[in-house]
């Protein structure tokens, strides 16, 4: 049996937008879609599930659909389901979140603890329907983004679209260097930023030779580079490292920033 794509629902418009996105995603990847509603006690759960199910079938009539109601807190339920999920899809805001929040508390907590990729559906309708034909992935030095790059290539492959790989770097303030040496040249004395990007892309590019790739090496803050690149994208993909000795992921400042401000759906992919 195929591992299902899970989507959390709570009756909010944000969660229904996540259902729309997830229904199309499940059909693209040929996996079943499972609607999950977690609540301690809610008499309206059957109606909520029915509305979400109708929305999914309307968005993608071919989707293989199922649903379940779990009587526990939403974060624990969704993280638990994520142990056997293709991915978890969530809305950016829930019914219980305070006005003014950029990202719902449940979505942030699940993104920080799930074992599978978590997609938070953000942005306007043009970013959610695949209008731009671009997937953006952030690439960092080291192994933290390896699984994210593989995920991004697979997404670009099934969407038949372009992949834009972004590696941003900066020389730390106060770092001594030879007079007259540019920041890029100084950085290249260690490991050239272009090599970091090329090495990260080489293996997945061989696996998905049909995916057109654009590489961008950017001098400046990672957060700004990713937000600018994703302004014309259908999906932004970032990696997350495991925290040694602790449960969950190391989201870091950059991941927190893009989860709160990304103009399009964003996937947080745990390092394997």
């Amino acid at each position: 049996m195929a591992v299902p794509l899970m989507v959390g629902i709570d009756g909010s418009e944000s969660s229904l937008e996540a259902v729309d996105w997830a229904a199309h995603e499940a059909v693209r990847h040929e996996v079943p879609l499972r609607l999950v509603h977690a609540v301690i006690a809610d008499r309206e759960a059957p109606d909520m599930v029915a509305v979400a199910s109708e929305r999914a079938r309307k968005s993608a009539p071919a989707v293989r659909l199922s649903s379940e109601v779990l009587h526990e807190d939403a974060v624990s339920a969704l993280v638990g389901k994520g142990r056997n999920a293709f991915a978890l899809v969530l809305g950016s805001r829930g019914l219980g979140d305070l006005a003014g929040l950029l990202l719902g508390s449940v979505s942030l907590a699940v993104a920080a603890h799930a074992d599978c990729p978590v997609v938070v559906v953000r942005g306007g309708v043009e970013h959610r329907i695949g209008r731009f034909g671009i997937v953006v992935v952030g690439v960092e030095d080291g192994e933290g983004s390896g699984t994210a790059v593989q995920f991004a290539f697979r997404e670009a492959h099934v969407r038949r679209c372009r992949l834009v790989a972004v590696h941003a770097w900066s020389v730390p303030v106060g770092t001594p260097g030879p007079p007259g040496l540019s920041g890029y040249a100084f950085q290249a004395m260690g490991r050239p930023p272009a090599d970091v990007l090329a090495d990260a892309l080489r293996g997945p590019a061989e696996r998905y030779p049909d995916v057109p790739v654009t590489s961008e090496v950017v001098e400046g803050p990672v957060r700004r580079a990713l937000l600018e690149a994703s302004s014309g994208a259908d999906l932004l993909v970032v990696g997350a490292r495991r925290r040694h000795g602790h449960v969950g992921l190391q989201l870091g400042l950059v991941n927190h920033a893009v989860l709160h401000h990304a103009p399009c759906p964003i996937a947080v992919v745990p390092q394997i």
Side-chain angles (χ1 to χ4, degrees):
M1 181 180 292
V3 177
L5 177 67
M6 306 276 189
V7 56
I9 59 172
D10 64 4
S12 66
E13 180 59 27
S14 179
S15 79
L16 292 177
E17 291 171 354
V19 168
D20 292 337
W21 191 93
H24 287 289
E25 184 77 353
V27 172
R28 284 191 194 103
H29 288 279
E30 300 181 344
V31 297
L33 178 65
R34 190 159 186 81
L35 310 179
V36 179
H37 176 51
V39 64
I40 301 300
D42 186 356
R43 295 180 180 178
E44 298 179 357
D47 293 338
M48 194 178 299
V49 170
V51 169
S53 298
E54 182 179 357
R55 184 86 171 236
R57 292 191 180 97
K58 184 177 180 179
S59 296
V63 69
R64 291 176 285 159
L65 188 65
S66 64
S67 62
E68 65 181 310
V69 176
L70 301 174
H71 296 285
E72 57 182 306
D73 74 275
V75 174
S76 297
L78 292 169
V79 169
K81 285 296 175 182
R83 297 189 183 99
N84 186 36
F86 183 82
L88 280 170
V89 181
L90 306 168
S92 59
R93 290 279 307 279
L95 284 176
D97 292 312
L98 298 174
L101 285 181
L102 296 172
L103 178 67
S105 56
V106 169
S107 297
L108 183 60
V110 173
H113 292 90
D115 293 324
C116 68
V118 174
V119 179
V120 177
V121 178
R122 298 183 53 83
V125 63
E126 70 276 12
H127 289 279
R128 303 195 307 268
I129 63 173
R131 170 186 171 184
F132 298 98
I134 291 176
V135 172
V136 173
V137 60
V139 178
E140 61 179 295
D141 198 359
E143 300 178 352
S145 56
T147 311
V149 172
Q150 296 176 40
F151 180 96
F153 263 93
R154 185 180 65 185
E155 283 297 320
H157 169 72
V158 298
R159 294 164 179 263
R160 299 180 180 178
C161 72
R162 175 171 296 278
L163 177 66
V164 176
V166 179
H167 174 58
W169 62 275
S170 59
V171 177
V173 176
T175 301
L181 194 64
S182 69
Y184 186 92
F186 181 70
Q187 185 77 359
M189 291 173 66
R191 189 180 182 210
D195 287 358
V196 172
L197 192 50
D199 290 347
L201 299 178
R202 187 172 296 111
E206 292 174 354
R207 183 176 181 183
Y208 296 101
D210 61 316
V211 175
V213 180
T214 298
S215 299
E216 295 186 1
V217 176
V218 181
E219 182 177 2
V222 178
R223 164 185 167 169
R224 184 177 68 197
L226 293 178
L227 292 179
E228 288 180 356
S230 60
S231 63
D234 304 317
L235 179 66
L236 170 62
V237 182
V238 294
R241 291 191 173 109
R242 299 289 178 186
R243 295 188 295 178
H244 297 295
H246 299 276
V247 175
L249 306 173
Q250 180 60 55
L251 290 182
L253 295 177
V254 172
N255 284 2
H256 273 275
V258 294
L259 278 166
H260 282 86
H261 298 284
C264 64
I266 174 171
V268 177
V269 183
Q271 176 186 356
I272 294 178

